[in-house]
mmCIF file of all heavy atoms in Angstrom:
data_model
loop_
_atom_site.group_PDB
_atom_site.id
_atom_site.type_symbol
_atom_site.label_atom_id
_atom_site.label_comp_id
_atom_site.label_asym_id
_atom_site.label_seq_id
_atom_site.Cartn_x
_atom_site.Cartn_y
_atom_site.Cartn_z
ATOM 1 N N TYR A 47 -15.067 -16.441 26.704
ATOM 2 C CA TYR A 47 -13.826 -17.082 27.127
ATOM 3 C C TYR A 47 -13.836 -17.248 28.641
ATOM 4 O O TYR A 47 -13.074 -16.633 29.352
ATOM 5 C CB TYR A 47 -12.628 -16.236 26.686
ATOM 6 C CG TYR A 47 -12.517 -16.122 25.188
ATOM 7 C CD1 TYR A 47 -13.115 -15.069 24.500
ATOM 8 C CD2 TYR A 47 -11.825 -17.072 24.457
ATOM 9 C CE1 TYR A 47 -13.012 -14.977 23.124
ATOM 10 C CE2 TYR A 47 -11.718 -16.988 23.074
ATOM 11 C CZ TYR A 47 -12.315 -15.933 22.422
ATOM 12 O OH TYR A 47 -12.214 -15.849 21.062
ATOM 13 N N ALA A 53 -7.383 -16.397 26.618
ATOM 14 C CA ALA A 53 -7.358 -17.185 25.390
ATOM 15 C C ALA A 53 -7.598 -16.303 24.165
ATOM 16 O O ALA A 53 -7.079 -16.584 23.085
ATOM 17 C CB ALA A 53 -8.403 -18.294 25.455
ATOM 18 N N ASN A 59 -4.410 -17.208 17.470
ATOM 19 C CA ASN A 59 -5.832 -16.893 17.424
ATOM 20 C C ASN A 59 -6.023 -15.389 17.226
ATOM 21 O O ASN A 59 -6.718 -14.953 16.322
ATOM 22 C CB ASN A 59 -6.474 -17.362 18.730
ATOM 23 C CG ASN A 59 -7.954 -17.122 18.766
ATOM 24 O OD1 ASN A 59 -8.630 -17.203 17.760
ATOM 25 N ND2 ASN A 59 -8.462 -16.830 19.940
ATOM 26 N N GLN A 62 -5.229 -13.423 13.813
ATOM 27 C CA GLN A 62 -6.166 -13.558 12.701
ATOM 28 C C GLN A 62 -7.438 -12.744 12.903
ATOM 29 O O GLN A 62 -8.249 -12.634 11.998
ATOM 30 C CB GLN A 62 -6.526 -15.034 12.511
ATOM 31 C CG GLN A 62 -5.338 -15.896 12.153
ATOM 32 C CD GLN A 62 -4.567 -15.351 10.953
ATOM 33 O OE1 GLN A 62 -5.153 -15.020 9.933
ATOM 34 N NE2 GLN A 62 -3.263 -15.247 11.086
ATOM 35 N N HIS A 66 -6.480 -4.050 11.721
ATOM 36 C CA HIS A 66 -5.549 -2.932 11.954
ATOM 37 C C HIS A 66 -5.122 -2.914 13.418
ATOM 38 O O HIS A 66 -5.880 -3.303 14.296
ATOM 39 C CB HIS A 66 -6.201 -1.585 11.622
ATOM 40 C CG HIS A 66 -6.552 -1.446 10.189
ATOM 41 N ND1 HIS A 66 -5.620 -1.324 9.192
ATOM 42 C CD2 HIS A 66 -7.746 -1.418 9.564
ATOM 43 C CE1 HIS A 66 -6.218 -1.225 8.031
ATOM 44 N NE2 HIS A 66 -7.519 -1.303 8.231
ATOM 45 N N PHE A 72 2.799 7.513 24.820
ATOM 46 C CA PHE A 72 2.644 8.701 25.647
ATOM 47 C C PHE A 72 3.901 8.946 26.472
ATOM 48 O O PHE A 72 4.611 8.009 26.831
ATOM 49 C CB PHE A 72 1.475 8.528 26.633
ATOM 50 C CG PHE A 72 0.133 8.433 25.993
ATOM 51 C CD1 PHE A 72 -0.394 7.209 25.630
ATOM 52 C CD2 PHE A 72 -0.619 9.569 25.744
ATOM 53 C CE1 PHE A 72 -1.639 7.099 25.043
ATOM 54 C CE2 PHE A 72 -1.864 9.481 25.161
ATOM 55 C CZ PHE A 72 -2.379 8.242 24.814
ATOM 56 N N ASN A 83 3.981 9.621 19.819
ATOM 57 C CA ASN A 83 4.057 8.825 18.595
ATOM 58 C C ASN A 83 2.734 8.097 18.388
ATOM 59 O O ASN A 83 2.120 7.632 19.341
ATOM 60 C CB ASN A 83 5.197 7.810 18.693
ATOM 61 C CG ASN A 83 5.567 7.226 17.362
ATOM 62 O OD1 ASN A 83 5.179 7.717 16.321
ATOM 63 N ND2 ASN A 83 6.321 6.145 17.398
ATOM 64 N N LYS A 85 1.029 5.233 15.462
ATOM 65 C CA LYS A 85 1.239 4.414 14.272
ATOM 66 C C LYS A 85 0.056 3.484 14.064
ATOM 67 O O LYS A 85 -0.537 3.009 15.019
ATOM 68 C CB LYS A 85 2.520 3.592 14.392
ATOM 69 C CG LYS A 85 3.764 4.453 14.353
ATOM 70 C CD LYS A 85 5.006 3.626 14.266
ATOM 71 C CE LYS A 85 6.203 4.548 14.161
ATOM 72 N NZ LYS A 85 7.440 3.838 13.982
ATOM 73 N N GLU A 95 -1.096 -11.070 1.249
ATOM 74 C CA GLU A 95 0.140 -10.432 0.802
ATOM 75 C C GLU A 95 0.697 -11.115 -0.442
ATOM 76 O O GLU A 95 1.150 -10.438 -1.367
ATOM 77 C CB GLU A 95 1.168 -10.393 1.931
ATOM 78 C CG GLU A 95 0.802 -9.389 3.001
ATOM 79 C CD GLU A 95 1.920 -9.128 3.995
ATOM 80 O OE1 GLU A 95 2.998 -9.754 3.900
ATOM 81 O OE2 GLU A 95 1.717 -8.267 4.872
ATOM 82 N N ASN A 97 -1.017 -12.689 -2.723
ATOM 83 C CA ASN A 97 -1.909 -12.314 -3.814
ATOM 84 C C ASN A 97 -1.559 -10.923 -4.340
ATOM 85 O O ASN A 97 -1.485 -10.708 -5.557
ATOM 86 C CB ASN A 97 -3.369 -12.375 -3.358
ATOM 87 C CG ASN A 97 -4.335 -12.096 -4.475
ATOM 88 O OD1 ASN A 97 -4.165 -12.554 -5.590
ATOM 89 N ND2 ASN A 97 -5.365 -11.318 -4.162
ATOM 90 N N ILE A 102 1.046 -7.314 -8.454
ATOM 91 C CA ILE A 102 2.084 -6.324 -8.772
ATOM 92 C C ILE A 102 3.078 -6.922 -9.765
ATOM 93 O O ILE A 102 3.503 -6.248 -10.710
ATOM 94 C CB ILE A 102 2.799 -5.841 -7.493
ATOM 95 C CG1 ILE A 102 1.808 -5.125 -6.564
ATOM 96 C CG2 ILE A 102 3.970 -4.910 -7.836
ATOM 97 C CD1 ILE A 102 2.327 -4.907 -5.142
ATOM 98 N N PHE A 111 8.781 -3.186 -16.357
ATOM 99 C CA PHE A 111 9.547 -3.220 -15.112
ATOM 100 C C PHE A 111 9.896 -4.664 -14.731
ATOM 101 O O PHE A 111 10.062 -4.984 -13.555
ATOM 102 C CB PHE A 111 8.756 -2.569 -13.970
ATOM 103 C CG PHE A 111 8.510 -1.099 -14.156
ATOM 104 C CD1 PHE A 111 7.346 -0.646 -14.767
ATOM 105 C CD2 PHE A 111 9.443 -0.177 -13.732
ATOM 106 C CE1 PHE A 111 7.116 0.705 -14.942
ATOM 107 C CE2 PHE A 111 9.226 1.178 -13.906
ATOM 108 C CZ PHE A 111 8.056 1.623 -14.517
ATOM 109 N N ASP A 129 -7.451 0.967 2.827
ATOM 110 C CA ASP A 129 -7.634 -0.151 1.901
ATOM 111 C C ASP A 129 -6.413 -0.383 1.019
ATOM 112 O O ASP A 129 -6.411 -1.293 0.206
ATOM 113 C CB ASP A 129 -8.860 0.081 1.013
ATOM 114 C CG ASP A 129 -10.159 0.014 1.782
ATOM 115 O OD1 ASP A 129 -10.198 -0.693 2.815
ATOM 116 O OD2 ASP A 129 -11.130 0.649 1.360
ATOM 117 N N GLU A 130 -5.373 0.442 1.159
ATOM 118 C CA GLU A 130 -4.201 0.332 0.303
ATOM 119 C C GLU A 130 -2.986 -0.203 1.056
ATOM 120 O O GLU A 130 -2.793 0.091 2.226
ATOM 121 C CB GLU A 130 -3.845 1.690 -0.301
ATOM 122 C CG GLU A 130 -4.873 2.201 -1.276
ATOM 123 C CD GLU A 130 -4.497 3.526 -1.872
ATOM 124 O OE1 GLU A 130 -3.749 4.304 -1.243
ATOM 125 O OE2 GLU A 130 -4.943 3.797 -2.997
ATOM 126 N N THR A 151 -9.864 -3.758 -4.388
ATOM 127 C CA THR A 151 -10.144 -3.576 -5.816
ATOM 128 C C THR A 151 -8.943 -3.901 -6.701
ATOM 129 O O THR A 151 -9.096 -4.008 -7.910
ATOM 130 C CB THR A 151 -10.558 -2.115 -6.106
ATOM 131 O OG1 THR A 151 -9.437 -1.256 -5.850
ATOM 132 C CG2 THR A 151 -11.752 -1.704 -5.253
#
Side-chain angles (χ1 to χ4, degrees):
Y47 297 92
N59 182 34
Q62 298 307 312
H66 296 291
F72 294 90
N83 196 14
K85 292 189 177 184
E95 288 191 358
N97 184 41
I102 297 166
F111 295 93
D129 292 332
E130 293 181 334
T151 66

